[in-house]
Amino acid sequence: MVNPIPLVMAALRAPSGDNCQPFRYRWDGHALEVVHVAARAYHVLDSGHHPSRLTLGMILESVAIAAAAQGLAAHGALLPAHADAPWLRITFTPA
């Protein structure tokens, strides 16, 4: 059984490329979805959302560490970057 609260907390604490935390998170019962919020990412340094894309790796690494504490392995899948759609989907399996 996956406890999503520590996973989401780890995702929230992950550093972001331009320090604006431009994501929101959804738990669907099986996976953690990471959705880009363009209004939060609006910054002179966020040309082409490159810092936001770098942040996805930081989120995945932070969530993977938190998942390992639950005996789980985290598996990230990058998705096409569309408004209001997840950019990253993280699933979990027993480690």
Side-chain angles (χ1 to χ4, degrees), residues 13-22 40-41 43 45 51-52 55 58:
R13 290 187 184 109
S16 65
D18 50 6
N19 202 30
C20 62
Q21 305 300 332
R40 288 189 207 158
H43 190 279
L45 298 177
S52 294
T55 300
M58 294 179 243

Side-chain angles (χ1 to χ4, degrees), residues 11-63:
L12 289 170
R13 290 187 184 109
S16 65
D18 50 6
N19 202 30
C20 62
Q21 305 300 332
F23 295 99
R24 63 184 167 87
Y25 303 91
R26 295 191 298 220
W27 176 254
D28 70 4
H30 303 286
L32 180 63
E33 295 179 336
V34 182
V35 179
H36 187 253
V37 179
R40 288 189 207 158
Y42 183 74
H43 190 279
V44 68
L45 298 177
D46 197 34
S47 175
H49 298 302
H50 294 303
S52 294
R53 294 174 198 275
L54 288 171
T55 300
L56 295 173
M58 294 179 243
I59 291 169
L60 180 56
E61 183 65 20
S62 295
V63 170

